């Protein structure tokens, strides 16, 4: 076990649970159990009875000898959800850390799970050994107190390098808490989805993704219900289409975040070690991107105007879940090797020096970006600069955040606490990377606007020529043949040209929007003229229009992509789906450009429209998410270093979650 092994982010954990486990109809989605304030035992069903003092003594002995706190929880059931997910959710909610272990037992459903921090002193093999030797034998005989005592004694033994002692079994009631006196409160029924509320906004992922240690356990064999055996869990019902659809959306968001942050991590590794060393991880990310694109394509088909029958819809949703699971499995397969490659904890001083250098570089670029944005606003209308209007201030916010995390990392290194320093360094890397992306977006927008200015006169001239052809076609149309459609296209083109020329003459306009409008009007004319023109002429015109369409589509996709990446804690599945489809169509347009420019033009136009819709949806998600005008708006998240950030919804900066120890914190 390496200390640099990282936990899965909560959004990804939730997605994985939804992928693997069907829902139970009627189960309530309550919060994870809040542990008792009176000690390390939370017994909702009276399972311990008069043996509670024995358990307390065993837990105290474990702490006195090994400084490990074992928390035990007894509830009636886990709401039909995975034991591991339930245990992890409770551990996360209660902030259990490196030296804490949680044992959760569902007495009625006869299931249990245990959860330990990835950076704990226990190996997975030790945890499993204690479960097999000391916990399961007691549970099979309904010795509820014996399971906790056995776990405490077992954990103490393995830390001392000794065999796990076999427990002395004292059978108890088969189903404690049954009936009105021991009925389960609503708070015992827990769905993992509640994790989204506290930390789902911190949507990021890395190769270093790792679950909390532990595993769901259902002992084999057992007597029929009511006997002494530890029987198998009830088979959950098949999820409804609505439930399956919700899982698919959650899986897409979590997996998209996984790929985005893996890409960031890959960039850090490549810069540090070179392309050759990072090649296996590059291949993994490429595979993940391909599978995720296919999953988003299925989602787009489900969302289009052509409804599928229930069987087809279920099959497509299951395929989305399968592809997302494949992506996560492939990235997970590389996580250990990636941990060893980056080894931030072991190389903390060098990694800190690298992030400080990157910080200084981006700080120096802020002034240039600010000047470019000021010039943009002076020359063009506000709509031209709108996609990047807040990027400079947001870049400054990220650099402020980076300043605080770099300072804390330096303090930890000076104190010899490289593990804690690694957490701060990773947070600083994410902040600086996002600042760079925001600054680059301003530079890119300035170049795109300049390119549109240069292309607009030619586009206007081409459209004027097409208008002349269309008017000639109108005059040559035989009497009695309807010309309403052609007249409408001519009228729209004339209106667009007049508006654009007036805007250009006014001195301040949006050249990308102007180019888009002219290209759309010209495309409509081309459709009307297609039958009257030679094929060669039509192909030439489509190729000329394609260049304009590709420019506007690339600009729209770039703006939407940057927005989703830097605000991904709040952006949902619909915006991501439209963005993925826009990128797919743009790639297709580029591939068709030489052989079939007319088809390529249609794809580019669709890409542009989809990207602009993705931007609208993403902005809507951010506006409606939590408290978008404040710092750390999501319930359960905390401010990072008291930097006092405000006015921005930040995405993907993680503090305390990637390298063990604390729970996920950060900026949405």
């Amino acid at each position: 076990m390496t200390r640099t092994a990282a936990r899965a982010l909560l959004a990804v954990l939730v997605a994985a649970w939804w992928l693997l486990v069907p829902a139970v109809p009627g189960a309530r989605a309550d919060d994870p159990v809040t542990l008792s304030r009176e000690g390390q035992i939370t017994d909702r069903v009276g399972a311990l009875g008069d043996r509670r003092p024995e358990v307390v003594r065993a837990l105290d002995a474990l702490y006195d000898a090994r400084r490990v706190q074992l928390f035990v929880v007894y509830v009636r059931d886990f709401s039909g959800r995975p034991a591991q997910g339930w245990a992890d959710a409770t551990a996360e909610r209660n902030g259990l850390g490196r030296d804490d272990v949680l044992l959760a037992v569902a007495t009625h459903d006869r299931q249990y799970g245990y959860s330990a921090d990835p950076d704990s002193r226990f190996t997975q093999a030790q945890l499993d050994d204690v479960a097999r030797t000391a916990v399961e034998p007691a549970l099979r005989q309904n010795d509820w107190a014996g399971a906790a005592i056995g776990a405490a004694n077992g954990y103490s033994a393995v830390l001392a390098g000794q065999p796990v002692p076999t427990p002395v079994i004292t059978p108890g009631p088969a189903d404690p808490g049954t009936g009105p006196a021991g009925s389960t409160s609503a708070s015992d029924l827990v769905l993992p989805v509640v994790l989204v509320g506290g930390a789902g906004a911190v949507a990021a992922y890395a190769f270093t993704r790792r679950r909390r240690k532990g595993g769901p356990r259902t002992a084999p064999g057992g007597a029929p219900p009511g006997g002494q055996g530890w029987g198998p869990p009830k088979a959950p019902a098949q999820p409804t289409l609505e439930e399956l659809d919700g899982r698919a959306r959650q899986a897409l968001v979590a997996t998209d975040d996984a790929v985005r942050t893996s890409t960031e991590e890959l960039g850090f590794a490549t810069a540090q070690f070179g392309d050759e060393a990072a090649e296996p991880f590059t291949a993994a990310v490429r595979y993940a991107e391909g599978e995720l694109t296919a999953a988003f394509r299925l989602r787009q088909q489900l969302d289009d105007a052509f409804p599928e029958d229930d069987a087809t819809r279920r099959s497509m949703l299951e395929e989305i879940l399968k592809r997302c699971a494949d992506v996560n499995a492939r990235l997970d397969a590389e996580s250990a090797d990636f941990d060893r490659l980056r080894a931030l904890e072991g190389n903390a001083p060098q990694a800190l020096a690298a992030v400080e250098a990157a910080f200084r570089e981006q700080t120096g670029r802020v002034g240039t970006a600010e000047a470019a944005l000021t010039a943009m606003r002076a020359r063009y209308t506000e709509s031209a600069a709108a996609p990047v209007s807040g990027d400079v201030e947001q870049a400054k916010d990220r650099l402020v955040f980076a300043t605080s995390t770099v300072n804390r990392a330096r303090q930890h290194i000076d104190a010899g606490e490289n593990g804690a320093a690694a957490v701060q360094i990773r947070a600083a890397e994410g902040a600086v990377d996002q600042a760079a992306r925001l600054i680059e977006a301003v530079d890119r927008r300035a170049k795109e606007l300049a390119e549109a200015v240069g292309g607009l006169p030619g586009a206007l001239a081409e459209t004027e020529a097409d208008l002349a052809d269309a008017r000639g076609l109108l005059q040559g149309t035989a009497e009695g043949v309807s010309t309403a459609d052609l007249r409408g296209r001519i009228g729209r083109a004339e209106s667009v040209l007049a508006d654009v020329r007036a805007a250009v003459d006014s001195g301040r306009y949006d050249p990308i929007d102007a180019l888009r409008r002219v290209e759309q009007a010209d495309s409509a004319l081309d459709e009307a003229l297609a039958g009257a023109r030679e094929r060669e002429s039509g192909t030439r015109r489509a190729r000329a229009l394609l260049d304009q369409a590709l420019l506007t589509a690339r600009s729209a996709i770039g703006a939407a992509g940057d927005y989703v990446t830097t605000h991904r804690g709040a952006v949902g599945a619909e915006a991501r789906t439209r963005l993925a489809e826009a990128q797919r169509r743009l790639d297709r347009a580029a591939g068709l450009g030489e052989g079939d420019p007319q088809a390529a033009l249609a794809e580019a136009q669709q890409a542009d429209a989809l990207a602009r819709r993705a931007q609208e949806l993403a902005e809507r998600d951010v506006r409606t998410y939590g408290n978008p005008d404040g710092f750390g708006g999501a319930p359960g998240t905390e401010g990072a270093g008291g930097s006092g950030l405000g006015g921005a919804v930040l995405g993907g900066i993680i503090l305390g979650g990637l390298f063990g120890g604390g729970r996920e914190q950060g900026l949405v």
Side-chain angles (χ1 to χ4, degrees):
M1 177 187 66
T2 62
R3 283 175 56 85
T4 53
R7 288 185 299 184
L9 294 182
L10 270 60
V12 182
L13 281 173
V14 171
W17 294 326
W18 283 121
L19 297 183
L20 298 175
V21 184
V24 174
R28 280 191 57 180
D30 295 316
D31 288 343
V33 166
T34 299
L35 299 180
S36 171
R37 297 180 180 274
E38 299 176 0
Q40 294 163 234
I41 298 172
T42 303
D43 186 359
R44 297 289 185 90
V45 293
L48 298 182
D50 58 6
R51 298 188 64 194
R52 186 184 185 100
E54 295 179 55
V55 177
V56 171
R57 286 194 294 272
L59 302 183
D60 288 346
L62 172 62
Y63 181 78
D64 291 340
R66 309 296 170 203
R67 286 298 185 265
V68 170
Q69 291 189 102
L70 171 60
F71 294 86
V72 291
V73 181
Y74 298 90
V75 293
R76 182 179 184 276
D77 57 54
F78 295 140
S79 299
R81 302 302 171 181
Q84 180 62 51
W86 198 96
D88 284 347
T90 301
E92 295 289 350
R93 178 186 178 101
N94 291 278
L96 301 193
R98 180 179 180 276
D99 294 318
D100 301 327
V101 182
L102 176 75
L103 173 64
V105 179
T107 57
H108 179 76
D109 278 358
R110 311 189 68 75
Q111 291 180 283
Y112 77 100
Y114 49 90
S115 181
D117 193 281
D119 208 21
S120 74
R121 289 176 281 166
F122 297 102
T123 66
Q124 188 67 56
Q126 289 173 329
L127 292 168
D128 291 342
D129 187 19
V130 172
R132 285 191 304 268
T133 307
V135 177
E136 284 183 7
L139 292 176
R140 287 175 65 89
Q141 307 254 352
N142 305 322
D143 187 356
W144 313 113
I149 295 168
N153 294 339
Y155 294 145
S156 183
V158 296
L159 288 179
Q162 300 171 353
V164 177
T166 302
V168 177
I169 303 298
T170 303
D175 191 3
T178 302
S183 61
T184 305
S185 69
S187 60
D188 287 337
L189 306 178
V190 181
L191 296 179
V193 72
V194 299
L195 295 181
V196 176
V202 186
Y205 179 92
F207 274 115
T208 48
R209 188 172 76 94
R210 217 50 84 64
R211 281 194 175 202
R212 293 181 62 92
K213 292 175 187 170
R217 294 282 165 181
T218 303
Q228 296 298 310
W230 185 249
K234 302 177 180 68
Q238 187 180 43
T240 65
L241 274 176
E242 183 178 354
E243 291 168 335
L244 203 60
D245 186 87
R247 297 183 198 180
R249 291 177 186 274
Q250 288 180 334
L252 283 170
V253 171
T255 307
D256 189 41
D257 287 334
V259 173
R260 288 178 186 275
T261 311
S262 289
T263 302
E264 291 174 358
E265 288 280 326
L266 179 61
F268 303 146
T270 301
Q272 188 174 0
F273 302 106
D275 292 336
E276 185 175 352
E279 176 54 36
F281 316 115
T282 302
V285 170
R286 286 174 181 162
Y287 171 84
E289 289 172 341
E291 288 297 293
L292 182 59
T293 296
F296 272 125
R297 177 63 178 146
L298 289 167
R299 180 76 255 178
Q300 178 68 28
Q301 291 171 347
L302 287 169
D303 291 346
D304 64 22
F306 305 97
E308 292 78 13
D309 59 66
D310 286 354
T312 301
R313 187 173 183 83
R314 179 175 292 275
S315 176
M316 292 171 72
L317 290 169
E318 289 173 347
E319 179 67 14
I320 289 173
L321 293 172
K322 178 182 180 298
R323 288 184 181 274
C324 289
D326 287 346
V327 168
N328 288 315
R330 178 61 185 275
L331 295 178
D332 275 347
E334 304 290 345
S335 64
D337 288 340
F338 193 83
D339 287 350
R340 286 191 288 272
L341 176 65
R342 290 211 73 199
L344 276 184
E345 184 176 347
N347 300 315
Q350 298 92 321
L352 180 59
V355 77
E356 285 176 328
F359 171 83
R360 288 191 293 272
E361 179 185 356
Q362 298 310 320
T363 300
R365 295 179 62 196
V366 167
T368 303
E370 196 162 27
L373 183 59
T374 300
M376 216 183 294
R377 285 171 165 160
R379 182 174 181 184
Y380 308 115
T381 58
E382 188 58 35
S383 65
V388 296
S389 61
D391 284 11
V392 171
E393 291 306 313
Q394 290 186 40
K396 291 179 180 178
D397 285 343
R398 275 130 174 105
L399 292 174
V400 168
F401 177 83
T403 300
S404 63
T405 53
V406 163
N407 289 339
R408 286 196 295 274
R410 175 65 64 193
Q411 292 167 3
H412 285 307
I413 290 174
D414 291 343
E417 300 168 347
N418 280 13
V423 176
Q424 305 294 332
I425 290 168
R426 178 58 187 88
E429 285 178 334
V432 172
D433 183 74
Q434 288 194 20
R437 180 183 288 271
L438 291 161
I439 291 167
E440 287 162 6
V442 175
D443 294 341
R444 186 183 66 241
R445 185 68 176 181
K447 292 174 183 176
E448 290 167 349
L449 289 168
E451 187 176 349
V453 169
L456 188 57
L460 289 168
E462 291 280 3
T463 306
E464 286 285 11
D466 282 349
L467 264 176
D469 289 346
R471 293 182 185 114
L473 179 62
L474 184 63
Q475 292 175 357
T477 300
E479 188 175 348
V481 176
S482 175
T483 59
D485 180 68
L486 180 58
R487 290 180 184 276
R489 293 174 189 243
I490 290 173
R492 283 193 295 275
E494 289 174 338
S495 176
V496 167
L497 289 184
D499 288 347
V500 169
R501 291 190 187 282
V504 172
D505 291 342
S506 72
R508 292 182 75 247
Y509 67 106
D510 182 343
I512 291 178
D513 181 66
L515 191 65
R516 178 184 290 118
R517 294 176 63 199
V518 171
E519 172 257 314
Q520 290 172 345
D522 204 356
S523 293
L525 289 175
D526 268 359
E527 290 177 7
L529 294 169
R533 281 177 165 162
E534 296 289 340
R535 177 175 177 80
E536 181 179 348
S537 175
T539 300
R540 179 188 63 79
R541 288 291 303 121
R543 187 167 286 116
L545 288 172
L546 178 60
D547 291 339
Q548 302 164 23
L550 288 173
L551 170 61
T552 56
R554 282 195 302 269
S555 177
I557 289 172
D562 288 340
Y563 191 87
V564 171
T565 295
T566 54
H567 299 77
R568 60 184 180 265
V571 177
E574 190 176 359
R576 296 167 191 257
T577 299
R578 302 300 175 267
L579 178 58
E581 181 66 5
Q583 184 61 59
R584 189 189 73 83
R585 287 181 176 270
L586 180 63
D587 293 342
R588 181 168 170 76
L592 290 170
E594 290 299 321
D596 191 349
Q598 291 173 321
L601 175 61
E603 292 287 346
Q605 290 171 334
Q606 281 296 313
D608 179 47
L610 284 162
R612 287 185 287 127
R613 180 57 178 158
Q615 179 92 23
E616 293 171 358
L617 291 168
E619 290 175 352
R620 181 199 66 186
D621 289 345
V622 170
R623 284 195 303 271
T624 57
Y625 178 82
N627 176 22
D629 292 324
F631 172 70
T637 57
E638 297 176 2
S643 57
L645 300 181
V649 181
L650 313 184
I653 301 176
I654 303 306
L655 176 58
L658 287 175
F659 293 90
R663 65 184 176 83
E664 286 74 11
Q665 304 176 47
L667 312 184
V668 179

